[in-house]
């Protein structure tokens, strides 16, 4: 099964811009608004598109995009940025059909998703040196990534999307030093509200969850025998080996050293 990346890129508009294909697109189109706003024709009407909105269109769908000055704010400057790509292929067809795809969803602007999109752009820029096989696999990875992101937007096992965003932030920053304030700022909530919502959604505090993530990463790194337990502790976000030892033994019922000796 094949997947072909036709074109992809990043657009930034500071002047009015319009794109229209009322007769229907020839290929699949993915578009992620990264900053600013615009208007797009979605599900039979124009919708205001803001940062984080993901647009997915299939061949035959009408497409219209408008980037204009806000008439309510005549002095407002246009600054609209988006990532886009056109693609086709039997793998894409099968991926599209296996689950319902919403034309417009709001997702978190995850750095890993943006990085994957940028990698596709760079590969496409290689022109005659482009590795089509690599582009195809990167495209498939992007499809799976946006599918998961769109699914999580609706809910994560019935939990609010804001809770999911906090959880993903903690997973991405668990090995670094971060504060509860950082998580709250990420979702534009007060610290007290963020703390309450996270506990309500997942039955544990942010600190407890970050500790679980750090310990999980530590277990993975123990398979690398070139790393000492002290190095693993520090690389996983533990301030000291003593703290790591205590937390590990409390979680797994044995010391890190004995756990590693019994691991294959």
């Amino acid at each position: 099964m094949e997947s072909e990346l036709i074109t992809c890129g990043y657009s930034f508009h500071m002047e009015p811009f319009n794109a229209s294909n009322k007769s229907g697109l020839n290929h699949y189109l993915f578009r992620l608004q990264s900053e600013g706003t615009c208007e797009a024709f979605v599900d039979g009407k124009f919708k205001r598109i803001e940062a984080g909105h993901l647009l997915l269109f299939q061949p035959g769908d009408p497409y219209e995009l408008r980037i204009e000055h806000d008439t309510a704010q005549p002095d407002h400057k246009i600054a609209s940025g988006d990532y886009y790509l056109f693609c086709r292929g039997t793998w894409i067809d099968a991926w599209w059909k296996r689950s319902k795809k919403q034309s417009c969803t709001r997702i978190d602007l995850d750095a890993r998703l943006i990085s994957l999109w940028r990698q596709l752009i760079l590969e496409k820029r290689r022109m005659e040196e482009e590795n089509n096989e690599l582009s195809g696999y990167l495209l498939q990875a992007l499809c799976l990534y946006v599918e998961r992101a769109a699914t999580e937007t609706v809910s994560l096992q019935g939990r609010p999307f804001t809770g999911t965003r906090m959880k993903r932030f903690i997973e991405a920053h668990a090995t670094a030093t971060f504060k509860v304030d950082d998580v709250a700022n990420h979702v534009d909530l007060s610290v007290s509200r963020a703390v309450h919502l996270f506990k309500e959604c997942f039955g544990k505090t942010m600190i407890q969850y970050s500790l679980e993530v750090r310990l999980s990463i530590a277990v993975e790194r123990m398979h690398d025998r070139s790393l000492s337990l002290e190095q693993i502790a520090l690389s996983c976000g533990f301030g000291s080996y003593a703290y790591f030892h205590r937390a590990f033994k409390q979680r797994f019922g044995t010391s890190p050293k004995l756990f590693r000796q019994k691991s294959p």
Side-chain angles (χ1 to χ4, degrees):
M1 294 172 61
E2 66 172 10
S3 53
E4 180 185 355
L5 180 65
I6 300 170
T7 185
C8 65
Y10 175 78
S11 294
F12 187 80
H13 301 276
M14 299 183 69
E15 299 292 338
F17 174 82
N18 288 275
S20 178
N21 191 335
K22 296 181 181 180
S23 60
L25 295 166
N26 294 323
H27 310 294
Y28 293 96
L29 167 61
F30 301 176
R31 185 182 184 279
L32 177 63
Q33 188 77 18
S34 59
E35 56 186 302
T37 64
C38 67
E39 286 189 335
F41 191 73
V42 179
D43 298 329
K45 61 182 179 181
F46 276 97
K47 176 181 176 66
R48 179 181 172 86
I49 305 301
E50 301 175 340
H53 274 132
L54 172 70
L55 301 177
L56 299 176
F57 296 100
Q58 62 181 320
D61 285 346
Y63 178 67
E64 292 185 69
L65 180 74
R66 300 190 306 213
I67 301 175
E68 301 174 343
H69 286 286
D70 189 343
T71 56
Q73 302 180 58
D75 296 331
H76 178 71
K77 295 182 179 180
I78 294 176
S80 177
D82 66 272
Y83 291 89
Y84 66 88
L85 67 82
F86 288 89
C87 61
R88 64 186 174 191
T90 54
W91 187 93
I92 304 295
D93 293 334
W95 169 78
W96 188 277
K97 292 176 182 177
R98 74 183 186 187
S99 63
K100 182 176 175 57
K101 303 295 188 295
Q102 298 292 333
S103 299
C104 180
T105 51
R106 188 74 172 267
I107 67 172
D108 197 18
L109 290 172
D110 191 302
R112 290 165 295 184
L113 172 59
I114 299 300
S115 176
L116 183 55
W117 211 307
R118 287 174 177 168
Q119 185 61 44
L120 274 168
I121 294 172
L122 291 174
E123 191 61 36
K124 198 64 180 175
R125 285 178 183 166
R126 296 176 71 91
M127 306 296 286
E128 67 276 0
E129 297 180 2
E130 178 191 358
N131 185 321
N132 292 324
E133 183 179 15
L134 176 58
S135 293
Y137 283 123
L138 287 172
L139 174 58
Q140 291 179 22
L142 182 70
C143 288
L144 298 175
Y145 210 113
V146 299
E147 182 177 41
R148 184 174 67 179
T151 301
E152 289 181 342
T153 297
V154 180
S155 66
L156 178 64
Q157 299 177 348
R159 299 176 178 119
F161 178 47
T162 300
T164 302
R165 291 184 65 202
M166 288 192 285
K167 195 173 187 182
R168 295 294 173 258
F169 181 90
I170 292 171
E171 291 167 353
H173 297 82
T175 58
T177 300
F178 73 89
K179 301 177 181 178
V180 173
D181 306 53
D182 299 325
V183 184
N185 290 335
H186 178 66
V187 294
D188 296 321
L189 291 178
S190 67
V191 172
S192 59
R193 176 57 184 152
V195 168
H196 176 78
L197 179 61
F198 193 91
K199 183 69 178 292
E200 183 180 55
C201 289
F202 305 107
K204 62 190 72 173
T205 68
M206 297 183 201
I207 300 303
Q208 288 172 331
Y209 184 64
S210 66
L211 180 60
E212 290 180 5
V213 175
R214 287 169 178 162
L215 288 171
S216 176
I217 296 172
V219 169
E220 293 175 6
R221 293 181 180 176
M222 282 184 180
H223 294 292
D224 184 353
R225 302 287 175 170
S226 67
L227 293 174
S228 69
L229 291 175
E230 289 77 9
Q231 289 174 322
I232 291 173
L234 294 177
S235 71
C236 291
F238 293 93
S240 66
Y241 179 74
Y243 175 40
F244 169 62
H245 184 282
R246 184 168 62 254
F248 193 96
K249 189 169 185 179
Q250 185 175 7
R251 171 67 178 82
F252 297 103
T254 186
S255 70
K257 182 177 180 180
L258 290 176
F259 185 93
R260 185 180 227 182
Q261 290 175 347
K262 295 178 182 179
S263 298

